[in-house]
Amino acid sequence: MKHLNKIIVLLTLLGLSSQAQDSDNPWAISFGVNAVDGSRVSAASSIKNQFSQYFDQKEYWSVLPSVSSLTVSKYVGDNFSFGVTGSVNKITKFVGDRQYDENSGISTYPVAKTDLMYYGVDGVIKYSFMSMIKSKVIDPSAHIGGGYTWLGDASAGTINGGFGLTFWLSKEFGISFSSTYKHSFEDERVVNTNVSSHMQHFAGLIFKFGGIDTDQDGIYDKNDACPETAGLKEFNGCPDSDGDKIIDKDDACPTQAGLLEFKGCPDTDKDGIADKDDACPDVAGLKTLGGCPDADGDGIADKADKCPVVKGPKENGGCPWPDTDGDGVLDKDDKCPAVKGPASNNGCPIAEPTEESIKKLNEYAKTILFDSGKASFQKQTYPVLISIAAILKEYPSAKFSIEGYTDNTGTVASNQKLSEERATSVKNYLVENGIAADRLTSSGFGQTKPIESNKTKAGKANNRRVEVKLVK
């Protein structure tokens, strides 16, 4: 007994660190103590008497105070296992045949004191109800079998049946209890002559083994998709080194946590391009530029763009072509890059507008339409004003006067004011659209300078006009 406690502690430590099922660990070994009930069950004539003192170990049980039973079994499937049990005991109490006292009407079962060695070898077929009750700890079972028993100088074969209960401390280690009824078919109960039917009880430790786990990851090889590399149960034994829920064998970047859409590779800048394919992995960019950004949208990646925040052609390193004189003609095309000039003259200034240009200016000016009695433009006038500004830009050094006129409708004073305001409106629009203010003046003449008679509707319309004149 002094060594039994050490064995129990050792097996407990082994069992608590294991994870297995019977199909994974098909072999089991159990050992412990056994008790023989001295044939009390078979000696009684009724079931009531047979089991009335079932647990009266002091009166009927014989127990050898040491490891006295050993069972080796194998799981064969569908909750069944087959095993062989060997047991040894010393029978100190043997229940004789019932004795009936007619005077008192009481039956007694004499118990003889003996000193007989007991040996048993039994085959056991066991069925477990553990899966039926859906428990991971409590394992009730039933068993049948047969064997051979030696008791002193007697021996006999038996047919056995019984029940057991195991408490699993882990999936590999447990504590088991069982009771087996052994029927010997011998009617007489003579000490050292007969082996009568009897009960044998077992209590001990059970340890299951036999599963192969090559990589020691707690998942047996038969269920391990990666049997030679330690892994996780949730991935059927395969590893996930970077913890991104993608197993290493399917992970293009097994040491970097990533996304499933990128086969396990990260996308640090979240631009939809995996870092391994991203030329700029820390800055969100465009797929067409290898994952690099293009802040100015000129089609040149910022890291290669000499002017990353200003659009420019690739031929000039991503920078816009300069226009030193600001005349709208790029220096590369400007024959006079330091002096403003119209594009029609290759960026060089034209000293003075031609008569044809002045004529065109005034043809446009005559079509400027104002809201009735106001200095605000009608919508259809804006294209005309843009055309006037374009002509003025062709002569950047020329100065012009904007003159306003009205018909004779209304008072002289109101017409004077309206003509000045309309001339000023035209001047302001041209300045807002790129004509230098110092090149323009405006004045109004009211109804004082008609070019046709105000007696006709057509004459009045022609008198309401704006003229653009070259200032020399």
Side-chain angles (χ1 to χ4, degrees), residues 14-84:
L14 290 172
L16 290 176
S17 66
S18 60
Q19 299 292 327
Q21 295 179 348
D22 286 345
S23 59
D24 292 326
N25 283 292
W27 289 96
I29 184 170
S30 61
F31 60 90
V33 297
N34 78 92
V36 177
D37 74 348
S39 303
R40 173 69 173 86
V41 172
S42 61
S45 58
S46 67
I47 293 177
K48 179 180 179 181
N49 285 335
Q50 287 174 347
F51 293 97
S52 62
Q53 293 173 301
Y54 184 82
F55 291 106
D56 193 347
Q57 56 270 52
K58 288 185 179 180
E59 184 70 24
Y60 302 107
W61 288 17
S62 296
V63 179
L64 190 65
S66 65
V67 175
S68 57
S69 66
L70 176 69
T71 299
V72 177
S73 62
K74 184 179 182 184
Y75 181 77
V76 294
D78 295 328
N79 299 320
F80 283 98
S81 61
F82 175 78
V84 176

Side-chain angles (χ1 to χ4, degrees), residues 350-406:
I350 300 176
E352 189 173 290
T354 62
E355 290 184 7
E356 182 178 353
S357 297
I358 296 298
K359 180 179 178 182
K360 185 177 289 187
L361 279 173
N362 283 292
E363 287 176 352
Y364 283 132
K366 288 178 182 179
T367 63
I368 296 174
L369 299 177
F370 296 93
D371 294 325
S372 179
K374 298 179 181 180
S376 56
F377 302 114
Q378 294 185 17
K379 186 176 181 180
Q380 61 266 40
T381 290
Y382 288 105
V384 173
L385 293 170
I386 292 173
S387 297
I388 292 173
I391 294 174
L392 297 185
K393 289 177 182 179
E394 294 182 3
Y395 307 98
S397 60
K399 296 184 178 182
F400 298 89
S401 173
I402 311 299
E403 299 178 354
Y405 301 90
T406 67

Side-chain angles (χ1 to χ4, degrees), residues 143-425:
H143 58 270
I144 60 173
Y148 207 83
T149 301
W150 291 265
L151 180 59
D153 295 332
S155 63
T158 61
I159 294 177
N160 309 332
F163 297 93
L165 182 63
T166 299
F167 296 96
W168 292 105
L169 304 181
S170 76
K171 289 185 178 181
E172 285 182 343
F173 174 71
I175 300 174
S176 64
F177 305 91
S178 66
S179 291
T180 301
Y181 175 72
K182 295 184 173 183
H183 188 73
S184 71
F185 299 100
E186 293 193 3
D187 296 328
E188 295 183 3
R189 309 180 64 82
V190 179
V191 177
N192 215 24
T193 300
N194 301 113
V195 177
S196 57
S197 298
H198 59 281
M199 292 290 296
Q200 188 173 17
H201 312 289
F202 299 88
L205 305 176
I206 181 169
F207 179 66
K208 289 186 285 189
F209 62 95
I212 300 174
D213 181 12
T214 302
D215 53 20
Q216 298 296 307
D217 59 2
I219 302 164
Y220 294 97
D221 288 2
K222 73 185 190 70
N223 298 319
D224 198 329
C226 301
E228 297 182 357
T229 307
L232 304 174
K233 187 175 182 180
E234 63 183 300
F235 299 125
N236 295 322
C238 289
D240 174 22
S241 300
D242 52 22
D244 59 5
K245 305 299 181 184
I246 302 169
I247 60 176
D248 290 357
K249 69 177 183 178
D250 297 329
D251 197 329
C253 301
T255 59
Q256 294 177 289
L259 305 172
L260 181 61
E261 61 185 295
F262 300 123
K263 295 184 178 180
C265 291
D267 176 19
T268 302
D269 54 20
K270 301 186 185 308
D271 60 1
I273 304 167
D275 289 358
K276 69 183 185 66
D277 302 319
D278 198 330
C280 301
D282 298 319
V283 185
L286 305 173
K287 193 171 185 178
T288 54
L289 298 176
C292 292
D294 176 17
D296 55 18
D298 59 5
I300 304 169
D302 290 353
K303 68 177 185 178
D305 196 331
K306 294 180 180 178
C307 301
V309 296
V310 183
K311 287 186 177 181
K314 187 175 183 179
E315 296 76 14
N316 198 42
C319 293
W321 294 109
D323 178 15
T324 304
D325 53 18
D327 59 3
V329 182
L330 301 178
D331 287 1
K332 69 184 185 67
D333 302 318
D334 197 333
K335 293 184 178 179
C336 302
V339 183
K340 292 183 178 181
S344 60
N345 199 41
N346 298 316
C348 291
I350 300 176
E352 189 173 290
T354 62
E355 290 184 7
E356 182 178 353
S357 297
I358 296 298
K359 180 179 178 182
K360 185 177 289 187
L361 279 173
N362 283 292
E363 287 176 352
Y364 283 132
K366 288 178 182 179
T367 63
I368 296 174
L369 299 177
F370 296 93
D371 294 325
S372 179
K374 298 179 181 180
S376 56
F377 302 114
Q378 294 185 17
K379 186 176 181 180
Q380 61 266 40
T381 290
Y382 288 105
V384 173
L385 293 170
I386 292 173
S387 297
I388 292 173
I391 294 174
L392 297 185
K393 289 177 182 179
E394 294 182 3
Y395 307 98
S397 60
K399 296 184 178 182
F400 298 89
S401 173
I402 311 299
E403 299 178 354
Y405 301 90
T406 67
D407 58 23
N408 64 351
T409 301
T411 65
V412 172
S414 63
N415 285 334
Q416 178 62 35
K417 180 181 178 184
L418 181 60
S419 66
E420 292 174 355
E421 289 176 347
R422 286 181 170 176
T424 300
S425 291

Side-chain angles (χ1 to χ4, degrees), residues 77-124:
D78 295 328
N79 299 320
F80 283 98
S81 61
F82 175 78
V84 176
T85 298
S87 59
V88 61
N89 209 324
K90 179 176 283 190
I91 305 303
T92 59
K93 306 161 188 176
F94 188 89
V95 181
D97 287 325
R98 182 183 68 152
Q99 295 180 1
Y100 179 72
D101 187 338
E102 292 183 357
N103 294 324
S104 64
I106 298 175
S107 295
T108 59
Y109 299 89
V111 179
K113 301 296 182 179
T114 63
D115 189 19
L116 303 176
M117 291 305 297
Y118 175 100
Y119 301 96
V121 177
D122 302 285
V124 181

